[in-house]
Amino acid sequence: MAEKKKRPIKITETVLRDAHQSLIATRMTTEQMLPIIDKMDKVGYHAVECWGGATFDASLRFLKEDPWERLRKLRDGFKNTKLQMLFRGQNILGYNHYADDVVEYFVQKSLANGIDIIRIFDCLNDIRNLETAVKAANKENGHAQIALSYTLGDAYTLKYWKDIAKKIEDMGAKSLCIKDMAGLLTPYKATELVEALKEAVDIPIDLHTHYTSGVAAMTYMKAVESGCDIIDTAMSPFALGTSQPATEVMVETFKGTPYDTGLDQNLLSEIAEYFRPLREEALESGLMNTKVLGVNINTLRYQVPGGMLSNLVSQLKEMGQEDKYEQVLEEVPRVRKDFGEPPLVTPSSQIVGTQAVLNVVSGERYKMVTKESKKLLSGEFGQTVKPFDPEVQKKCIGDVQPITCRPADKIEPQLAKLESEMSQWKEQDEDVLSYALFPQVALDFFKYREAQKTKVDATLADKENQIYPV
């Protein structure tokens, strides 16, 4: 039997972004990251995903940290490793669509501050919402990776995935990611999908999944055997559950095979030892809820991502309606169908989930409708793969004429106005982008930053007075 040609699999490490976002609500601080960077830099990862997603909002809102400063510190530490971020297309890292000038400036500043690979996705897989970010990344010589939000449904055939992958390659993406945010991709389906994509495009294929449904490591194995080039994994203390398969496990799995990663298990073990106490702390404080650590097969039954499951639980708890959980889970696929079968990923997962809760709790479907549901049904997020249910659309938005163009075409340039609104707080160019995405949260942070500076100045003045009494 002929020996198989060597094709080492590449690893993107997620412990500094998606892993702690999935397991401890994005609460890992920059100070907790910095001591281990030197060792992580020696591993030989394809990339380290360390920024974007929810880290930007969480840094400002909960950790009182400047996300741009975090990125610069990480860039200083990672001398040999590419840094990757997650970017929500025209939504950037927020929850609304922004004007093209804001998207372009954000991409430019992300790359200037140290990002190498920008993974860009759209919650509806509407590729019109990706164009501006991809062009901006290519203009700055960054690596634009487009992620397709993987989901199930009548419309999502192999032909659909192949056609959209080809469009993505033609758009100028340097690589393609299958973004399986809910852990819906099963092993043999991964074989079919990767083989189909390999026929359709020549750019590298990265697979990103979550362990929520319990099949992720097997899915990676079949995907790699079928030609997948890169897999996303997390260091074991922050792996499994709603996070990714463990880095060390996947490295061991492919050892001695044509797909051998060549990564050093001793070094990975030292890195895992560093993160283990952080996991223990998170468990003891309740920051890591044990609910996110197990296998939840409801993910496959209802196609609900792990983060969305916990959101539904907390929404029902606040309303004192926890007994309606099963009913809400059954309502989610119905709402999704009414809303054109979008993939369930931020922000579409929140929109569909909240609407399902209201439908069940109010006792009548679409009696109460969120403003986000109305926006989605008015075309403000873009085009869904299937049409909206016309009766539901009529009931929710009445005679409003839905838009059919690229939503950002209707948004005037925003940067100049934003600059003038927050000029008194500006300490760096990037501050306007923090303000653009999260105006109130950013202002609160700017005020906190000012207060901290005043405190430090006062302390220094005290010390000087002690040394040189007036």
Side-chain angles (χ1 to χ4, degrees), residues 124-125 152-157 160 336-343 376-377 382-390 393:
L124 305 181
N125 287 336
L152 306 172
D154 302 342
Y156 299 97
T157 59
Y160 166 85
R336 180 176 173 245
K337 205 170 174 59
D338 294 341
F339 286 9
E341 268 190 20
L376 181 71
L377 292 165
Q383 193 173 9
T384 49
V385 66
K386 280 194 155 186
F388 303 126
D389 181 294
Q393 188 180 30

mmCIF file of all heavy atoms in Angstrom, residues 124-125 152-157 160 336-343 376-377 382-390 393:
data_model
loop_
_atom_site.group_PDB
_atom_site.id
_atom_site.type_symbol
_atom_site.label_atom_id
_atom_site.label_comp_id
_atom_site.label_asym_id
_atom_site.label_seq_id
_atom_site.Cartn_x
_atom_site.Cartn_y
_atom_site.Cartn_z
ATOM 1 N N LEU A 124 -26.150 36.184 8.551
ATOM 2 C CA LEU A 124 -27.094 35.623 7.571
ATOM 3 C C LEU A 124 -26.368 34.970 6.390
ATOM 4 O O LEU A 124 -27.009 34.508 5.447
ATOM 5 C CB LEU A 124 -28.027 36.722 7.047
ATOM 6 C CG LEU A 124 -28.824 37.527 8.074
ATOM 7 C CD1 LEU A 124 -29.716 38.547 7.374
ATOM 8 C CD2 LEU A 124 -29.655 36.616 8.968
ATOM 9 N N ASN A 125 -25.025 34.963 6.429
ATOM 10 C CA ASN A 125 -24.229 34.544 5.264
ATOM 11 C C ASN A 125 -24.583 35.386 4.035
ATOM 12 O O ASN A 125 -24.525 34.899 2.901
ATOM 13 C CB ASN A 125 -24.433 33.050 4.924
ATOM 14 C CG ASN A 125 -23.751 32.130 5.911
ATOM 15 O OD1 ASN A 125 -22.796 32.512 6.581
ATOM 16 N ND2 ASN A 125 -24.237 30.897 6.011
ATOM 17 N N LEU A 152 -28.129 24.024 9.530
ATOM 18 C CA LEU A 152 -28.900 22.982 8.838
ATOM 19 C C LEU A 152 -30.228 23.565 8.376
ATOM 20 O O LEU A 152 -30.698 24.568 8.905
ATOM 21 C CB LEU A 152 -29.158 21.809 9.788
ATOM 22 C CG LEU A 152 -27.915 21.202 10.449
ATOM 23 C CD1 LEU A 152 -28.322 20.186 11.515
ATOM 24 C CD2 LEU A 152 -27.018 20.537 9.415
ATOM 25 N N GLY A 153 -30.824 22.928 7.395
ATOM 26 C CA GLY A 153 -32.115 23.391 6.871
ATOM 27 C C GLY A 153 -32.204 23.046 5.398
ATOM 28 O O GLY A 153 -31.203 22.757 4.752
ATOM 29 N N ASP A 154 -33.426 23.112 4.860
ATOM 30 C CA ASP A 154 -33.664 22.704 3.464
ATOM 31 C C ASP A 154 -32.761 23.436 2.478
ATOM 32 O O ASP A 154 -32.319 22.884 1.482
ATOM 33 C CB ASP A 154 -35.125 23.013 3.055
ATOM 34 C CG ASP A 154 -36.126 22.314 3.950
ATOM 35 O OD1 ASP A 154 -35.713 21.359 4.628
ATOM 36 O OD2 ASP A 154 -37.303 22.720 3.984
ATOM 37 N N ALA A 155 -32.506 24.716 2.759
ATOM 38 C CA ALA A 155 -31.772 25.537 1.792
ATOM 39 C C ALA A 155 -30.277 25.258 1.789
ATOM 40 O O ALA A 155 -29.575 25.565 0.825
ATOM 41 C CB ALA A 155 -32.004 27.013 2.113
ATOM 42 N N TYR A 156 -29.781 24.656 2.894
ATOM 43 C CA TYR A 156 -28.328 24.542 3.071
ATOM 44 C C TYR A 156 -27.806 23.217 2.519
ATOM 45 O O TYR A 156 -27.388 22.321 3.246
ATOM 46 C CB TYR A 156 -27.966 24.735 4.548
ATOM 47 C CG TYR A 156 -28.374 26.107 5.043
ATOM 48 C CD1 TYR A 156 -29.585 26.297 5.727
ATOM 49 C CD2 TYR A 156 -27.592 27.225 4.788
ATOM 50 C CE1 TYR A 156 -29.982 27.553 6.155
ATOM 51 C CE2 TYR A 156 -27.980 28.490 5.207
ATOM 52 C CZ TYR A 156 -29.169 28.649 5.892
ATOM 53 O OH TYR A 156 -29.557 29.897 6.302
ATOM 54 N N THR A 157 -27.851 23.119 1.195
ATOM 55 C CA THR A 157 -27.398 21.911 0.496
ATOM 56 C C THR A 157 -25.897 22.028 0.214
ATOM 57 O O THR A 157 -25.306 23.109 0.349
ATOM 58 C CB THR A 157 -28.133 21.795 -0.853
ATOM 59 O OG1 THR A 157 -27.830 22.985 -1.614
ATOM 60 C CG2 THR A 157 -29.643 21.698 -0.664
ATOM 61 N N TYR A 160 -25.366 24.749 -2.186
ATOM 62 C CA TYR A 160 -25.368 26.071 -1.574
ATOM 63 C C TYR A 160 -23.975 26.408 -1.043
ATOM 64 O O TYR A 160 -23.437 27.491 -1.296
ATOM 65 C CB TYR A 160 -26.402 26.124 -0.433
ATOM 66 C CG TYR A 160 -26.242 27.326 0.485
ATOM 67 C CD1 TYR A 160 -26.811 28.557 0.167
ATOM 68 C CD2 TYR A 160 -25.505 27.229 1.673
ATOM 69 C CE1 TYR A 160 -26.658 29.659 1.000
ATOM 70 C CE2 TYR A 160 -25.336 28.335 2.511
ATOM 71 C CZ TYR A 160 -25.915 29.539 2.170
ATOM 72 O OH TYR A 160 -25.747 30.633 3.001
ATOM 73 N N ARG A 336 -37.356 30.525 13.631
ATOM 74 C CA ARG A 336 -36.256 30.560 12.651
ATOM 75 C C ARG A 336 -36.800 30.355 11.237
ATOM 76 O O ARG A 336 -36.398 31.036 10.290
ATOM 77 C CB ARG A 336 -35.221 29.479 13.002
ATOM 78 C CG ARG A 336 -34.048 29.438 12.040
ATOM 79 C CD ARG A 336 -33.005 28.423 12.502
ATOM 80 N NE ARG A 336 -31.996 28.294 11.474
ATOM 81 C CZ ARG A 336 -31.759 27.206 10.765
ATOM 82 N NH1 ARG A 336 -32.472 26.098 10.961
ATOM 83 N NH2 ARG A 336 -30.827 27.179 9.847
ATOM 84 N N LYS A 337 -37.730 29.418 11.083
ATOM 85 C CA LYS A 337 -38.330 29.150 9.772
ATOM 86 C C LYS A 337 -39.119 30.366 9.276
ATOM 87 O O LYS A 337 -39.004 30.774 8.125
ATOM 88 C CB LYS A 337 -39.248 27.919 9.872
ATOM 89 C CG LYS A 337 -39.464 27.178 8.558
ATOM 90 C CD LYS A 337 -40.179 25.868 8.836
ATOM 91 C CE LYS A 337 -40.573 25.131 7.584
ATOM 92 N NZ LYS A 337 -39.490 24.775 6.688
ATOM 93 N N ASP A 338 -39.877 30.976 10.193
ATOM 94 C CA ASP A 338 -40.645 32.193 9.845
ATOM 95 C C ASP A 338 -39.712 33.314 9.386
ATOM 96 O O ASP A 338 -40.068 34.137 8.552
ATOM 97 C CB ASP A 338 -41.445 32.701 11.057
ATOM 98 C CG ASP A 338 -42.552 31.747 11.483
ATOM 99 O OD1 ASP A 338 -42.949 30.885 10.668
ATOM 100 O OD2 ASP A 338 -43.006 31.857 12.643
ATOM 101 N N PHE A 339 -38.512 33.353 9.988
ATOM 102 C CA PHE A 339 -37.557 34.435 9.724
ATOM 103 C C PHE A 339 -36.560 34.107 8.606
ATOM 104 O O PHE A 339 -35.479 34.688 8.526
ATOM 105 C CB PHE A 339 -36.783 34.776 11.012
ATOM 106 C CG PHE A 339 -37.573 35.549 12.044
ATOM 107 C CD1 PHE A 339 -38.943 35.750 11.916
ATOM 108 C CD2 PHE A 339 -36.957 36.082 13.166
ATOM 109 C CE1 PHE A 339 -39.675 36.454 12.866
ATOM 110 C CE2 PHE A 339 -37.671 36.804 14.120
ATOM 111 C CZ PHE A 339 -39.031 36.980 13.977
ATOM 112 N N GLY A 340 -36.908 33.141 7.732
ATOM 113 C CA GLY A 340 -36.076 32.866 6.562
ATOM 114 C C GLY A 340 -34.922 31.895 6.793
ATOM 115 O O GLY A 340 -33.955 31.887 6.036
ATOM 116 N N GLU A 341 -35.024 31.098 7.873
ATOM 117 C CA GLU A 341 -34.007 30.074 8.209
ATOM 118 C C GLU A 341 -32.578 30.610 8.318
ATOM 119 O O GLU A 341 -31.647 30.053 7.731
ATOM 120 C CB GLU A 341 -34.045 28.923 7.193
ATOM 121 C CG GLU A 341 -34.956 27.810 7.639
ATOM 122 C CD GLU A 341 -34.862 26.541 6.790
ATOM 123 O OE1 GLU A 341 -33.869 26.326 6.074
ATOM 124 O OE2 GLU A 341 -35.799 25.748 6.872
ATOM 125 N N PRO A 342 -32.350 31.690 9.072
ATOM 126 C CA PRO A 342 -30.972 32.172 9.195
ATOM 127 C C PRO A 342 -30.141 31.235 10.065
ATOM 128 O O PRO A 342 -30.695 30.528 10.913
ATOM 129 C CB PRO A 342 -31.146 33.522 9.907
ATOM 130 C CG PRO A 342 -32.381 33.344 10.733
ATOM 131 C CD PRO A 342 -33.284 32.458 9.917
ATOM 132 N N PRO A 343 -28.825 31.218 9.885
ATOM 133 C CA PRO A 343 -27.972 30.526 10.862
ATOM 134 C C PRO A 343 -28.169 31.200 12.219
ATOM 135 O O PRO A 343 -28.460 32.395 12.275
ATOM 136 C CB PRO A 343 -26.549 30.789 10.344
ATOM 137 C CG PRO A 343 -26.703 31.214 8.927
ATOM 138 C CD PRO A 343 -28.044 31.875 8.823
ATOM 139 N N LEU A 376 -34.918 42.795 11.402
ATOM 140 C CA LEU A 376 -34.573 41.622 10.590
ATOM 141 C C LEU A 376 -35.595 41.438 9.469
ATOM 142 O O LEU A 376 -35.237 41.262 8.295
ATOM 143 C CB LEU A 376 -34.510 40.366 11.472
ATOM 144 C CG LEU A 376 -34.140 39.053 10.767
ATOM 145 C CD1 LEU A 376 -32.674 39.046 10.357
ATOM 146 C CD2 LEU A 376 -34.416 37.851 11.660
ATOM 147 N N LEU A 377 -36.886 41.521 9.833
ATOM 148 C CA LEU A 377 -37.968 41.312 8.860
ATOM 149 C C LEU A 377 -38.099 42.471 7.875
ATOM 150 O O LEU A 377 -38.742 42.338 6.845
ATOM 151 C CB LEU A 377 -39.297 41.089 9.591
ATOM 152 C CG LEU A 377 -39.388 39.766 10.379
ATOM 153 C CD1 LEU A 377 -40.558 39.796 11.351
ATOM 154 C CD2 LEU A 377 -39.493 38.566 9.452
ATOM 155 N N GLY A 382 -29.912 42.355 6.186
ATOM 156 C CA GLY A 382 -29.526 41.727 4.928
ATOM 157 C C GLY A 382 -30.536 40.682 4.499
ATOM 158 O O GLY A 382 -31.652 40.611 5.016
ATOM 159 N N GLN A 383 -30.084 39.849 3.561
ATOM 160 C CA GLN A 383 -30.998 38.881 2.946
ATOM 161 C C GLN A 383 -30.806 37.493 3.545
ATOM 162 O O GLN A 383 -29.677 37.021 3.681
ATOM 163 C CB GLN A 383 -30.709 38.829 1.443
ATOM 164 C CG GLN A 383 -31.776 38.106 0.662
ATOM 165 C CD GLN A 383 -31.544 38.212 -0.832
ATOM 166 O OE1 GLN A 383 -30.504 38.688 -1.277
ATOM 167 N NE2 GLN A 383 -32.486 37.764 -1.626
ATOM 168 N N THR A 384 -31.910 36.860 3.910
ATOM 169 C CA THR A 384 -31.849 35.479 4.405
ATOM 170 C C THR A 384 -31.877 34.520 3.220
ATOM 171 O O THR A 384 -32.301 34.890 2.122
ATOM 172 C CB THR A 384 -33.040 35.179 5.344
ATOM 173 O OG1 THR A 384 -34.242 35.608 4.694
ATOM 174 C CG2 THR A 384 -32.896 35.898 6.667
ATOM 175 N N VAL A 385 -31.462 33.277 3.470
ATOM 176 C CA VAL A 385 -31.344 32.316 2.381
ATOM 177 C C VAL A 385 -32.724 31.922 1.826
ATOM 178 O O VAL A 385 -32.880 31.614 0.658
ATOM 179 C CB VAL A 385 -30.516 31.089 2.838
ATOM 180 C CG1 VAL A 385 -31.213 30.303 3.917
ATOM 181 C CG2 VAL A 385 -30.165 30.190 1.664
ATOM 182 N N LYS A 386 -33.737 31.979 2.690
ATOM 183 C CA LYS A 386 -35.115 31.712 2.254
ATOM 184 C C LYS A 386 -35.963 32.954 2.533
ATOM 185 O O LYS A 386 -35.617 33.754 3.404
ATOM 186 C CB LYS A 386 -35.681 30.516 3.034
ATOM 187 C CG LYS A 386 -35.234 29.165 2.497
ATOM 188 C CD LYS A 386 -36.081 28.069 3.077
ATOM 189 C CE LYS A 386 -36.078 26.862 2.139
ATOM 190 N NZ LYS A 386 -36.995 25.825 2.595
ATOM 191 N N PRO A 387 -37.093 33.133 1.845
ATOM 192 C CA PRO A 387 -37.924 34.317 2.123
ATOM 193 C C PRO A 387 -38.579 34.222 3.512
ATOM 194 O O PRO A 387 -38.764 33.121 4.043
ATOM 195 C CB PRO A 387 -38.979 34.285 1.013
ATOM 196 C CG PRO A 387 -38.919 32.939 0.399
ATOM 197 C CD PRO A 387 -37.604 32.309 0.749
ATOM 198 N N PHE A 388 -38.917 35.374 4.071
ATOM 199 C CA PHE A 388 -39.651 35.403 5.340
ATOM 200 C C PHE A 388 -41.061 34.883 5.107
ATOM 201 O O PHE A 388 -41.586 34.985 4.002
ATOM 202 C CB PHE A 388 -39.756 36.842 5.875
ATOM 203 C CG PHE A 388 -38.439 37.529 6.065
ATOM 204 C CD1 PHE A 388 -38.181 38.769 5.472
ATOM 205 C CD2 PHE A 388 -37.439 36.958 6.834
ATOM 206 C CE1 PHE A 388 -36.973 39.417 5.651
ATOM 207 C CE2 PHE A 388 -36.219 37.593 7.017
ATOM 208 C CZ PHE A 388 -35.982 38.817 6.421
ATOM 209 N N ASP A 389 -41.687 34.343 6.153
ATOM 210 C CA ASP A 389 -43.094 33.975 6.073
ATOM 211 C C ASP A 389 -43.900 35.273 5.880
ATOM 212 O O ASP A 389 -43.852 36.164 6.739
ATOM 213 C CB ASP A 389 -43.517 33.273 7.372
ATOM 214 C CG ASP A 389 -44.972 32.842 7.331
ATOM 215 O OD1 ASP A 389 -45.843 33.747 7.294
ATOM 216 O OD2 ASP A 389 -45.254 31.633 7.354
ATOM 217 N N PRO A 390 -44.628 35.414 4.756
ATOM 218 C CA PRO A 390 -45.284 36.694 4.465
ATOM 219 C C PRO A 390 -46.297 37.119 5.521
ATOM 220 O O PRO A 390 -46.416 38.293 5.844
ATOM 221 C CB PRO A 390 -45.950 36.474 3.096
ATOM 222 C CG PRO A 390 -45.875 35.014 2.817
ATOM 223 C CD PRO A 390 -44.817 34.422 3.691
ATOM 224 N N GLN A 393 -44.362 38.344 8.553
ATOM 225 C CA GLN A 393 -43.742 39.626 8.220
ATOM 226 C C GLN A 393 -44.775 40.758 8.295
ATOM 227 O O GLN A 393 -44.533 41.813 8.896
ATOM 228 C CB GLN A 393 -43.129 39.560 6.814
ATOM 229 C CG GLN A 393 -42.293 40.781 6.448
ATOM 230 C CD GLN A 393 -41.709 40.658 5.044
ATOM 231 O OE1 GLN A 393 -42.295 40.025 4.163
ATOM 232 N NE2 GLN A 393 -40.551 41.263 4.830
#
